Structures are given as C-alpha cells and as structure tokens.
Amino acid sequence: MGHIFNELYQFSYNLAHAKIKAFAPPFLDYLNGDKDIIQYLNDLFNRYYSELSKLKRIDWVNDGLHEIIKHYSNKEIDFNLSRDAKILGDAILASLEAYYEGLPSKAFQILQNVFLQNDRHFINMLPQIEATAMKGFRVREGSHYNKITDLFHIPFELRQKCSSYRFSILGFPSLYLAESLPTALNEVRAKSDNDFCITQYEYNGEIALIDLALIPRQMQLWEIYSQLMFYPLIAACGLKVKNENSPFKPEYVIPQLFFQIVKMDMPEFAGVSYISTRSANPDFTDMRQRNYVLFVPETYLTKGYSSQLAKKLTACDPICIKYNDDIKTLIQYEVECAMRPKKSITINSK
C-alpha cells in the first residue's frame, strides 16, 4: 500500500525537512515583512491549503485511515485532511480576531471548541511524544545557586515575577526545559562572560507531551496525517517575535490559549514540546533545539513549590559556568552536567 501514498509521504518529508521554504518555520518573511500576524497567517494558510489540494490521492488517505481505525477499534471516524486543516486554521484566525477585539475569553472558546467537537477528534489526532524518560536542561544567570530548587519553577510566593512567555501567561509558573544546553542558554539570551548555573532534569517514568515540532523521520500514515493536519497550529505557535521589547507579543496569543486548553481538557499530557525560536538559525528539524514546557500542579498554593511535580523529576546539583558561545565548550559543559548523578528534589514543607 505504501506506494499509493508516495505523493503524501514526499510532501510530508519535504515539509518536515524544511525543503518547502514558503512553509519552513520560523517564517523570516513574517519577521522582516510589514504584515500583521492575522494577515500573514491568513496568506500562509491559504497557500498551504492550495498545496494540500494538489495531492491527488488525498481521498485515499482519508479512506485508508477510516478503514484502519474501523478495523482495529470498530469506530467510524470521518477523516478529511484538507477539511480538518482548514477548520483549525480558520479557528486560529477567528481566535486572533476575537483577542484583538479585547475578548480573550471568546478567543479561548473559539479555539477550545475545535478540539472538543466531534468526540474530541482533534485531541485524539494531536501529534505527540510518548517516552519512558525525558531529560532537559535549565539555566539561571548568576553564580550563587547551589540547590536544585534554585533552578526549579518560580516559587508561588514570587508569582508576580512570572512574565508572559510563549506558552504561559502572566503570573502562572511553568517549568521550561531545553533538550540541549546551547538551546537553554539561547532562551535566556545569554551574554558572553556572564555566569550561569545549570542543571539537567530527568522525568521519572512515562511522559506524554504534545509535539509542535516538525519531525524529520520516517512516520506512520496517521502520524503524517496528524502533522499535516496540525501544520496551521505548528506555524501559529512557531513565529519569531517581531518586537521583543514590546509588552504585548501577538505571536504568544495562540500558544498561550492552546496551552490553557491542554491544561483544562487534556490531563493525559504533561505539557508541550516545541522548537526554540531564540537561536541565531532556528531549525524546526533540529531536535537539539527542542524545548519542553511542563505544567506545574498545585499553583493554587500561596507559597513554596509543587511537590507533585518534584516527585516526578530528579536533577543534578547545579554547576556554575562562564558563558561563551564556543560550541565545543558548551558541549563539554553539557556533558559534564549530564554525567552528574541525579537526585530527588527536596521540597521544604514549611
């Protein structure tokens, strides 16, 4: 059956390997152009739908997945790749428009409805990572951090210091980790000769994360469908910020709304994985540029840290480094940190 879907495989391969420049994150034409985010995404989505419509056997893909699911689970699911991608793209644009009207709750509802409709079809098709272990680096500027909790999430009594980040809103602590040390340092805009403390976290046991990267590997048919279906979301969450020093970043609207939907409606996921846009040359096919943002439970507490999250993680004691952008030096630091023994995270209950 594989040769029947060659055209789909090739399109997915080219998309995942950034070979179609018009659809390759981080979309520098947006960064350097004069279109606002709604105009840009509308144009991008329309070009994408046009390319999907050129896939001659896309109906065979829809029918093939329908029969596979029916055979193994006895469920009748109406697969339609072009329709699903457009439903999602239209909802993203409508959500942004509502947000621009000063109606963030309406923006949330528009996007949420897409994921809950049709017996949670969109949730069931989300691209995801399921792993028995996950590791990630975290850094803080300074040389005085010596406890693991110094590099844990912001304590609840200091939530006023929680800025607006790509996937988390003001005042809400999340735990951001990076696949590699260079990516973690890029995320904090590290400057040469400054001191940083670093640690590596390891998630204990199985973890499920929504995956908003483009995966450059051989995929099963349903994974290809999922990636192509959710390309509008991957694109909307992967735009580089145009105005870094401005208080409002429209590029954060959709990822923040989506993260809230995941937190509310998808308890099976521990968070979201995505590709950093902070590097000099962001590459959505480079898994070393991957970030993880984990939900922090118990944020209703007024003081301290999440003991629930601490129980799911181990980490090494922080080490202090002097930052420079020599990649060989950074890799040496990364290896040294990764080789350190991991220990449980001790939360002071007082």
Side-chain angles (χ1 to χ4, degrees):
M1 185 184 292
H3 68 282
I4 298 176
F5 302 123
N6 279 347
E7 185 183 35
L8 183 80
Y9 289 146
Q10 190 62 51
F11 180 73
S12 174
Y13 177 91
N14 290 340
L15 190 70
H17 287 78
K19 292 182 178 295
I20 310 175
K21 296 303 179 184
F23 301 136
F27 310 105
L28 297 181
D29 53 337
Y30 165 73
L31 189 68
N32 300 319
D34 57 4
K35 292 180 181 178
D36 75 5
I37 190 170
I38 296 177
Q39 293 173 316
Y40 180 82
L41 288 177
N42 182 61
D43 291 347
L44 177 68
F45 293 169
N46 283 333
R47 293 198 305 272
Y48 182 68
Y49 306 147
S50 177
E51 290 302 311
L52 280 184
S53 70
K54 296 175 183 177
L55 298 176
K56 298 176 182 177
R57 291 176 171 171
I58 198 167
D59 288 340
W60 293 19
V61 174
N62 299 330
D63 294 342
L65 279 175
H66 174 271
E67 293 303 318
I68 290 171
I69 296 299
K70 182 179 179 181
H71 175 77
Y72 285 103
S73 66
N74 203 32
K75 290 184 178 180
E76 294 277 357
I77 297 178
D78 179 22
F79 288 97
N80 188 317
L81 178 54
S82 296
R83 179 203 62 198
D84 288 347
K86 191 172 189 309
I87 287 173
L88 182 57
D90 288 348
I92 287 169
L93 295 174
S95 182
L96 281 168
E97 289 171 358
Y99 201 97
Y100 272 24
E101 291 173 3
L103 300 170
S105 60
K106 180 181 178 181
F108 174 84
Q109 290 170 356
I110 289 170
L111 200 59
Q112 183 190 41
N113 286 342
V114 169
F115 287 94
L116 297 182
Q117 68 183 8
N118 296 331
D119 197 26
R120 296 165 60 97
H121 171 59
F122 278 72
I123 292 176
N124 294 331
M125 290 302 296
L126 275 165
Q128 58 189 268
I129 299 170
E130 292 184 351
T132 55
M134 183 273 292
K135 298 180 181 180
F137 290 92
R138 186 163 170 85
V139 306
R140 288 194 71 182
E141 186 171 3
S143 59
H144 56 287
Y145 304 111
N146 50 42
K147 302 190 303 294
I148 295 173
T149 50
D150 291 337
L151 274 72
F152 201 30
H153 67 77
I154 291 177
F156 299 132
E157 68 270 21
L158 298 179
R159 66 173 66 246
Q160 68 271 16
K161 295 187 176 182
C162 294
S163 297
S164 175
Y165 297 107
R166 185 167 293 268
F167 284 92
S168 47
I169 62 173
L170 285 166
F172 182 78
S174 298
L175 185 65
Y176 283 78
L177 306 175
E179 178 69 23
S180 68
L181 180 58
T183 296
L185 290 163
N186 283 332
E187 284 293 324
V188 298
R189 303 178 184 85
K191 296 180 180 178
S192 294
D193 298 324
N194 286 6
D195 292 324
F196 287 87
C197 287
I198 67 174
T199 188
Q200 186 189 47
Y201 282 90
E202 183 170 351
Y203 199 89
N204 302 321
E206 295 182 354
I207 185 172
L209 298 162
I210 293 168
D211 190 10
L212 297 180
L214 291 171
I215 310 169
R217 61 170 173 79
Q218 189 70 30
M219 291 186 285
Q220 300 297 320
L221 183 60
W222 77 267
E223 292 177 302
I224 293 174
Y225 186 103
S226 174
Q227 179 170 272
L228 298 182
M229 170 183 173
F230 282 98
Y231 175 81
L233 181 66
I234 294 171
C237 292
L239 297 173
K240 281 182 73 74
V241 173
K242 271 191 180 184
N243 301 296
E244 286 281 0
N245 297 321
S246 298
F248 172 61
K249 298 175 176 62
E251 299 84 0
Y252 286 2
V253 170
I254 295 301
Q256 288 182 358
L257 291 175
F258 177 66
F259 200 61
Q260 293 172 60
I261 294 168
V262 178
K263 179 176 174 59
M264 180 176 290
D265 299 308
M266 310 177 204
E268 62 269 35
F269 294 107
V272 173
S273 176
Y274 66 103
I275 297 298
S276 172
T277 62
R278 296 283 189 198
S279 69
N281 298 294
D283 183 353
F284 273 50
T285 71
D286 181 359
M287 296 302 103
R288 280 182 57 79
Q289 293 187 25
R290 187 187 287 278
N291 281 327
Y292 308 98
V293 52
L294 304 183
F295 292 114
V296 175
E298 305 170 292
T299 52
Y300 55 83
L301 297 174
T302 58
K303 193 173 184 180
Y305 301 93
S306 171
S307 60
Q308 290 182 23
L309 184 59
K311 290 175 183 177
K312 296 178 180 179
L313 296 164
T314 56
C316 64
D317 287 327
I319 61 175
C320 184
I321 67 170
K322 182 77 71 175
Y323 173 73
N324 68 66
D325 58 3
D326 177 64
I327 190 64
K328 290 184 179 180
T329 302
L330 292 181
I331 294 301
Q332 289 176 352
Y333 288 143
E334 182 179 297
V335 172
E336 179 185 349
C337 185
M339 293 297 289
R340 282 198 160 198
K342 305 295 189 299
K343 57 176 65 174
S344 299
I345 302 171
T346 302
I347 301 297
N348 191 341
S349 60
K350 293 184 180 180

